[in-house]
Amino acid sequence: SMLETLWTFSEFIEGFAMVPQYIFCYRERSGSASLYVISLGGYRVFYGLNWIYKKIQMPHYSDIQSWIGGIIEIMFFVDFLNYRFTGNSMLRTMVLSVDTKINEISDKVEMKVLGTSSATRMETAGGEIRRRTRGDDRPMEDV
């Protein structure tokens, strides 16, 4: 049914829900955002342990869609922890390059539609940060 299809899609996409927080943490070494990411990632790991326990206790139990979404999310989380504690990451470069490309496309669209872009870029140790500006060139928000 349509409802089951939407539910399955939501479980697959849930694995990517934390990617914006990972991007923020990769670019800025912020303590509060990292704590949030670690808390949510830890929750997901315990959820995975619950699935393992259920599978052992009830061998007929199967929820492939949840498992796939959970494995994706746990892989991102393990990679994030690896980056946080060792400085190495297999996914960081890919995630940041996709984000940069999306930002470039967004700027081009804004330039074509509005004739001007309100985003300014700033280099940090973790990568590039974009800031939107108001009409009077004061920074308005991080993007």
Side-chain angles (χ1 to χ4, degrees):
S1 77
M2 181 65 155
L3 188 59
E4 289 173 348
T5 303
L6 291 172
W7 180 262
T8 301
F9 178 72
S10 76
E11 289 194 337
F12 287 135
I13 204 163
E14 182 181 359
F16 299 95
M18 288 293 293
V19 171
Q21 284 79 13
Y22 293 133
I23 290 170
F24 182 78
C25 289
Y26 287 147
R27 292 186 190 230
E28 282 286 319
R29 289 193 160 239
S30 170
S32 60
S34 292
L35 180 62
Y36 173 75
V37 168
I38 289 171
S39 298
L40 246 77
Y43 158 78
R44 192 46 132 181
V45 168
F46 282 116
Y47 211 83
L49 293 173
N50 179 47
W51 289 329
I52 293 169
Y53 174 77
K54 275 178 144 175
K55 187 63 178 171
I56 291 170
Q57 294 299 318
M58 302 180 297
H60 63 280
Y61 171 72
S62 179
D63 190 3
I64 299 295
Q65 296 91 350
S66 291
W67 295 347
I68 291 171
I71 288 169
I72 291 169
E73 195 166 346
I74 290 171
M75 284 176 24
F76 273 114
F77 179 63
V78 167
D79 185 71
F80 172 75
L81 289 178
N82 188 37
Y83 170 72
R84 233 356 167 199
F85 296 116
T86 68
N88 299 322
S89 171
M90 297 184 314
L91 299 173
R92 179 181 183 268
T93 305
M94 178 196 61
V95 168
L96 290 178
S97 64
V98 168
D99 182 56
T100 300
K101 198 59 158 167
I102 289 171
N103 289 334
E104 289 172 3
I105 292 169
S106 173
D107 287 347
K108 286 180 183 177
V109 168
E110 185 177 356
M111 193 64 134
K112 283 190 180 217
V113 171
L114 300 176
T116 183
S117 179
S118 60
T120 58
R121 293 185 181 349
M122 185 170 83
E123 288 295 323
T124 65
E128 181 182 87
I129 299 261
R130 294 175 60 222
R131 290 192 184 271
R132 297 257 177 224
T133 56
R134 295 186 180 112
D136 55 3
D137 291 329
R138 289 184 300 147
M140 186 167 73
E141 62 181 312
D142 287 340
V143 179

